[in-house]
Amino acid sequence: MTSPAGRAAPNSRFDAAALHRLGVVAVLGFASGLPLALTGQAMQAWLSGAGVDIATIGFLSLVGLPYTFKFLWAPLMDRFELPWLGRRRGWLVLTQLALAGALWWLAGTSPTATTRVFALLAVLVAFISASQDVVIDAYRTDLLHASERGLGSSLAVLGYRLAMILSGGVALIWVDPLQGGGWSWPEVYRFMAGVMVAAAAVSAFALPRLKFVAPPASVARRDVLGFVAVLAAVAFGVVASDRLGPPIARALLGPWLAGGALPAPLQAKWIELLALMLGVAFTLPLAAWAARAARFETLLGGLRSYFAQRGAAAFLAFIVLYKLGDAFAGSLMTPFLLQAMAYSTAEVGVVNKVIGLWLTIGGALIGGALMLRLGLWRALMLFGILQMLSNLGFWWLAVHGRGVLPGLTIPAFDWGFVKLVHATPVDGGLLLVIAWENLASGMGTAAFVAFLMSLCNQRFTATQFALLSAFASVGRVWVGPLAGVLAESIGWPVFFIVSTFLALPALVMLWWMRVAVRALEYDPGAPVADD
């Protein structure tokens, strides 16, 4: 029996080559996690500091859309080998250098003077980052032997979270004018561009090269034509939606808003939101039709294999819903803490991004250990309930404000790469709420990733995992516009109550699917689909 890379399966003892592979996986996890906050929480902090309103920040969360559609171009990165460096390493170096260039470009763009250009560049960063994730996921699967995959996955998550601590936590300390290094956000983004250049150098010179069997030319040609057809359909849908969506939304929603008390700018945001939803409802079916008409075979084959399993559509709906309440509350966490609660950037950086992410790692480890006893279904249910209840912590913070609970003071330090000029007081309520939320989220993520892995057919791992992880990111990306408009309309306390109730449908659905989920749990060795 051979591994995907074409080597004989090794025994369970780790030798120098295995340690090299595991180290590579940790570094790639770091490269994967670094850009995410730069189009998410860090970008929200930049926009908040620039005075951008909450509703606009919510709409700008849509720059993460490429993460939800990466399965469309994942087959192309599976099919084609770039010259000199090979298929996986070549695509890695290309995407990482492209990320460096896009981040440098974004650093020189004003989020207020040229908001549209800024948003388009952020979409470009997200697109390249999602493409890098496709390659890293596939390379990790091809590289690691079966006995190494458990530890390899943990190291990948560790690298991913460490990168988010740097780009989403340490960066907030850097930009604090009183406590940190006094950096500007453009300086932070240029530094991150340099980190991606270093990652490209590691990918070029330190990664093991894998064997690649080229597909038949006819199949490859159909995949290219299929992708072009899907891209053309999406472009047509976007243009048509941009022209027709706003007047249709205005006609549908205008009469309802005319007699209301909402100010005119907020009414316009609700109309924009409905226009966006109408555009999505038109564009997605159009893209699916184009893929079928152009015979995008690798994509269609992976989708057929996934949907051949019993309950596939229900599983997909559950994937979208399971993290929905969590994503809804977290979509505007940075502007909530910085603008509504008036915490300093250093305090948010230390608590929410550094301490919080370490607690997420701890929660994931605790969740993995508990799953050994609980099993998949009970872990998903228990951790899902904890995730839902953690949103009430933010409701409590929004109602009672800061200073209710005794806090602590983090002493001044200078570690070279990050420093606090003065001792920083940390609000006890903030620390408690962030600790609870991150531990619950970490445990939920551990069970959720195990669930996604159990659904993949090994013959289509790259395409199917890209599809499932794309649907898993729907909540994180798509709820932003609604969350921003809703938070301005109903206020933060009611907003967090709504986010709590949004977690209920997934738990009800999980109870309804308990037999199917337990089947995945008790029969892990069986093939997921029969093609």
Side-chain angles (χ1 to χ4, degrees), residues 208-248:
R209 184 165 184 162
L210 305 177
K211 295 175 66 175
F212 172 57
V213 179
S218 59
V219 175
R221 187 162 52 249
R222 283 203 304 271
D223 279 347
V224 173
L225 293 175
F227 176 71
V228 171
V230 170
L231 196 63
V234 170
F236 176 79
V238 169
V239 171
S241 301
D242 188 51
R243 291 179 178 274
L244 301 177
I248 295 175

Side-chain angles (χ1 to χ4, degrees), residues 165-257:
I165 288 174
L166 176 63
S167 62
V170 173
L172 267 69
I173 300 174
W174 283 344
V175 300
D176 192 298
L178 300 177
Q179 296 281 29
W183 289 31
S184 67
W185 278 112
E187 288 173 330
V188 169
Y189 275 66
R190 290 189 188 100
F191 174 81
M192 298 304 173
V195 174
M196 292 311 305
V197 171
V202 172
S203 297
F205 299 109
L207 268 60
R209 184 165 184 162
L210 305 177
K211 295 175 66 175
F212 172 57
V213 179
S218 59
V219 175
R221 187 162 52 249
R222 283 203 304 271
D223 279 347
V224 173
L225 293 175
F227 176 71
V228 171
V230 170
L231 196 63
V234 170
F236 176 79
V238 169
V239 171
S241 301
D242 188 51
R243 291 179 178 274
L244 301 177
I248 295 175
R250 199 173 294 112
L252 293 174
L253 208 55
W256 291 87
L257 295 173

Side-chain angles (χ1 to χ4, degrees), residues 203-431:
S203 297
F205 299 109
L207 268 60
R209 184 165 184 162
L210 305 177
K211 295 175 66 175
F212 172 57
V213 179
S218 59
V219 175
R221 187 162 52 249
R222 283 203 304 271
D223 279 347
V224 173
L225 293 175
F227 176 71
V228 171
V230 170
L231 196 63
V234 170
F236 176 79
V238 169
V239 171
S241 301
D242 188 51
R243 291 179 178 274
L244 301 177
I248 295 175
R250 199 173 294 112
L252 293 174
L253 208 55
W256 291 87
L257 295 173
L262 287 178
L266 202 52
Q267 291 186 22
K269 294 294 183 183
W270 278 105
I271 291 172
E272 288 178 24
L273 180 62
L274 179 58
L276 172 67
M277 296 171 64
L278 292 173
V280 171
F282 171 72
T283 303
L284 288 184
L286 182 64
W289 172 84
R292 288 193 299 269
R295 298 172 63 195
F296 194 171
E297 193 52 42
T298 301
L299 174 63
L300 296 175
L303 294 179
R304 279 196 301 268
S305 173
Y306 170 76
F307 283 103
Q309 65 180 313
R310 187 175 181 182
F315 285 145
L316 215 54
F318 174 74
I319 286 170
V320 174
L321 293 174
Y322 188 69
K323 283 283 188 178
L324 185 61
D326 203 32
F328 200 83
S331 61
L332 295 171
M333 189 55 55
T334 300
F336 166 67
L337 296 176
L338 292 177
Q339 293 185 12
M341 301 302 299
Y343 292 116
S344 69
T345 55
E347 191 173 5
V348 172
V350 169
V351 177
N352 190 33
K353 305 303 181 184
V354 178
I355 297 176
L357 282 173
W358 278 113
L359 288 169
T360 302
I361 295 171
L365 295 175
I366 294 171
L370 289 175
M371 284 183 66
L372 296 175
R373 283 191 165 274
L374 294 174
L376 182 60
W377 181 82
R378 287 195 296 173
L380 284 169
M381 179 62 75
L382 174 61
F383 302 159
I385 292 172
L386 293 177
Q387 280 182 165
M388 179 183 71
L389 295 177
S390 70
N391 289 347
L392 293 177
F394 293 105
W395 165 80
W396 176 86
L397 195 62
V399 170
H400 295 282
R402 55 193 302 171
V404 177
L405 298 179
L408 54 87
T409 300
I410 298 177
F413 61 84
D414 187 350
W415 296 341
F417 70 97
V418 62
K419 65 180 179 179
L420 283 178
V421 177
H422 307 289
T424 301
V426 172
D427 182 57
L430 174 66
L431 188 59

Side-chain angles (χ1 to χ4, degrees), residues 24-36 92 96 99 129 132-133 136 156 159-160 163 195-196 198-200 203:
V24 161
V25 164
V27 172
L28 291 179
F30 184 91
S32 175
L34 192 75
L36 183 62
L92 272 176
Q96 287 164 351
L99 266 173
S129 176
Q132 180 196 218
D133 287 352
I136 288 176
Y160 191 90
V195 174
M196 292 311 305
S203 297

